[in-house]
Amino acid sequence: ATAATAETALDRGMTALFIGQDLGSIEAYSLSFLDMPPPAGHMTYVSIAGNLSGLASPTDYGTGVECAQCLADRYPSSAINLALWLVDLTDGVVAGSFDTQIEQLAAWIEQAGVSVFLRIGYEFDNPDNHYEPEAFKAAFRRIAARMPASCQVVWHSWGFGTWGGREVGAWWPGSDVVDVVAISVFQQAYTEAFDDMDKVVAFAKAEGKEVMIAESTPFGGIEDPASSDWTWDA
């Protein structure tokens, strides 16, 4: 879908292309396709801690400059895939310690002027993120409940073996607070280890939710097209 149809792509059964994740890479992509419409959306990251770094002003987490407001200003016809960092912060969210930031985030989304797909605690089942299911679900619900109706709330699995070997549903916060289910696609595409992704997709279908590939890249770069075509074109 082009940028003009991003907010209705899911309803129409279309595929919407998002580009990420830092401003430099997004700009480089856009300059390479000047004769094409802008992507349906762009991806960026923000942390619930502190001053919501990466939301209203630029910040660099070590992988390039992130800035949601910059994207909204520069690409007003494109949606934003906004990843919200919650690692080691879920207990504080549940206790109300970040209510001010949550309200600020909700206000920003409401006035952003673009469609926002909010990935709360993205890759919740990634062992590196060690989200305890109960705390995660409670934090997810607290944040989702405060988002404006225009916000698409995304529940994002990393699509590999889960932390502690749990079923992915252990982190499910409830159908009433999830609009879209998402997965990451990285090494699975090289090893054909699709079982974990398939489980998430099946779960989404059972809950009546659309599926988004929230993060993906040619992992490590594609150096030999002859050996890589099957991954992206098959």
Side-chain angles (χ1 to χ4, degrees):
T2 65
T5 60
E7 59 189 14
T8 57
L10 293 176
D11 291 335
R12 297 180 182 181
M14 302 171 70
T15 298
L17 176 66
F18 284 65
I19 297 298
Q21 64 188 35
D22 63 278
L23 293 180
S25 297
I26 291 169
E27 183 69 13
Y29 176 92
S30 299
L31 291 174
S32 297
F33 296 94
L34 292 175
D35 58 338
M36 299 291 290
H42 301 94
M43 181 178 74
T44 192
Y45 292 80
V46 64
S47 173
I48 196 78
N51 62 348
L52 290 169
S53 55
L55 185 65
S57 59
T59 193
D60 190 342
Y61 295 114
T63 57
V65 177
E66 313 270 354
C67 177
Q69 185 62 55
C70 301
L71 292 175
D73 292 341
R74 192 172 303 177
Y75 306 100
S77 63
S78 298
I80 293 178
N81 168 356
L82 185 60
L84 184 62
W85 174 264
L86 293 182
V87 174
D88 295 327
L89 301 173
T90 52
D91 288 342
V93 170
V94 175
S97 301
F98 297 103
D99 279 359
T100 297
Q101 288 92 331
I102 294 171
E103 296 300 333
Q104 290 172 345
L105 176 61
W108 184 87
I109 290 173
E110 192 162 31
Q111 61 79 45
V114 298
S115 298
V116 175
F117 292 77
L118 180 65
R119 292 187 285 134
I120 300 172
Y122 58 94
E123 293 191 339
F124 55 80
D125 48 352
N126 185 331
D128 288 342
N129 293 337
H130 49 265
Y131 284 119
E132 289 289 351
E134 295 306 315
F136 172 81
K137 290 186 289 186
F140 191 106
R141 292 189 64 86
R142 189 177 185 90
I143 294 170
R146 288 162 170 77
M147 293 301 110
S150 60
C151 179
Q152 293 286 310
V153 177
V154 181
W155 183 71
H156 175 200
S157 165
W158 82 314
F160 284 89
T162 66
W163 182 44
R166 300 173 176 87
E167 293 296 324
V168 70
W171 288 272
W172 181 242
S175 185
D176 59 316
V177 291
V178 174
D179 297 303
V180 180
V181 170
I183 57 174
S184 294
V185 179
F186 291 110
Q187 297 102 315
Q188 308 103 310
Y190 288 84
T191 63
E192 299 187 54
F194 301 123
D195 288 351
D196 293 308
M197 290 192 296
D198 287 344
K199 289 178 182 178
V200 180
V201 172
F203 188 93
K205 288 182 177 179
E207 293 290 340
K209 305 297 182 182
E210 298 285 353
V211 176
M212 165 192 284
I213 298 177
E215 296 187 20
S216 188
T217 188
F219 198 85
I222 293 179
E223 298 181 2
D224 182 3
S227 64
S228 303
D229 282 349
W230 69 270
T231 299
W232 302 102
D233 299 332

